[in-house]
Amino acid sequence: MKKILILLISIPSIVFSQTGPTASFIFNPVCLGESISLTDFSYPDPNTGSAIVTWDWEYNGNIISTQQNADHLFSSCDNYDITLTITDTDGMQDDTTINIEIFCPPTAGFFNDIVCLGDPTNFVDISMPGDSSPPLATGSTWMYVFGDADPPNAVNPNCTATFNYAGLNSVLFIVSELHWNGVYCIDSLIQDMGIIDHSKVAR
């Protein structure tokens, strides 16, 4: 009888130990101009197994989605508190809030001295990081594409190139700034270079 009595007493404690579902999600860090993907990782109450039936994603009181998984494109780089609220079939709710950052891309820029045919031209990086606080983060990368020059490209922020032909030559410059969790934000520019042939100018 004692065993049966203990069993009957313990059943209500299991039934009434419901805590509801647990809200959880993950996201992929992104740069401005890219949609952030919000992936639901919530799970139901283990005691009841009641299915989760609604998802509400919001930031600053603005609903951005009612789907289980959401995508959203923010219009500015900033920090945002994103809240996921879930509800199960029993009407039990839970929510969780994660602060995310939309990273600002760098601003690519360089200057150079006079470009003369056959003479080395110096290129100096003046790019600005996304947070406007130089220098660019450690791990960032640079790429110059000079075209018809020696060398045709370079991966150092400051470098030298010698152009082989006079006239107009376009230089492509790409800057990739490293942010949190291996995310690179990229900016680029194309600048036309007028290559001067001094032998013809002298005439």
Side-chain angles (χ1 to χ4, degrees), residues 121-181:
T121 300
N122 296 305
F123 291 84
V124 178
D125 171 51
I126 55 171
S127 301
M128 287 294 293
D131 63 4
S132 300
S133 299
L136 268 69
T138 301
S140 299
T141 65
W142 297 260
M143 168 68 80
Y144 291 89
V145 180
F146 297 117
D148 196 349
D150 184 21
N153 51 62
V155 295
N156 295 317
N158 305 318
C159 59
T160 300
T162 302
F163 293 90
N164 299 319
Y165 294 95
L168 198 63
N169 190 96
S170 295
V171 173
L172 170 63
F173 184 46
I174 304 170
V175 178
S176 301
E177 184 177 18
L178 178 62
H179 287 282
W180 177 75
N181 204 29

Side-chain angles (χ1 to χ4, degrees), residues 19-100:
T19 59
T22 300
S24 179
F25 69 91
I26 61 173
F27 65 95
N28 62 314
V30 297
C31 306
L32 182 64
E34 302 173 331
S35 293
I36 188 168
S37 294
L38 308 168
T39 304
D40 173 51
F41 260 68
S42 305
Y43 52 93
D45 186 325
N47 296 311
T48 65
S50 298
I52 298 169
V53 291
T54 67
W55 298 261
D56 289 305
W57 301 89
E58 66 176 61
Y59 79 93
N60 295 339
N62 302 305
I63 297 293
I64 59 177
S65 178
T66 56
Q67 302 297 312
Q68 180 175 4
N69 300 309
D71 291 299
H72 189 72
L73 180 64
F74 287 95
S75 60
S76 61
C77 45
D78 205 342
N79 287 280
Y80 298 92
D81 286 330
I82 295 184
T83 299
L84 169 63
T85 302
I86 58 172
T87 308
D88 67 14
T89 53
D90 295 326
M92 300 291 288
Q93 288 188 332
D94 189 41
D95 64 76
T96 186
T97 299
I98 298 179
N99 181 266
I100 68 166

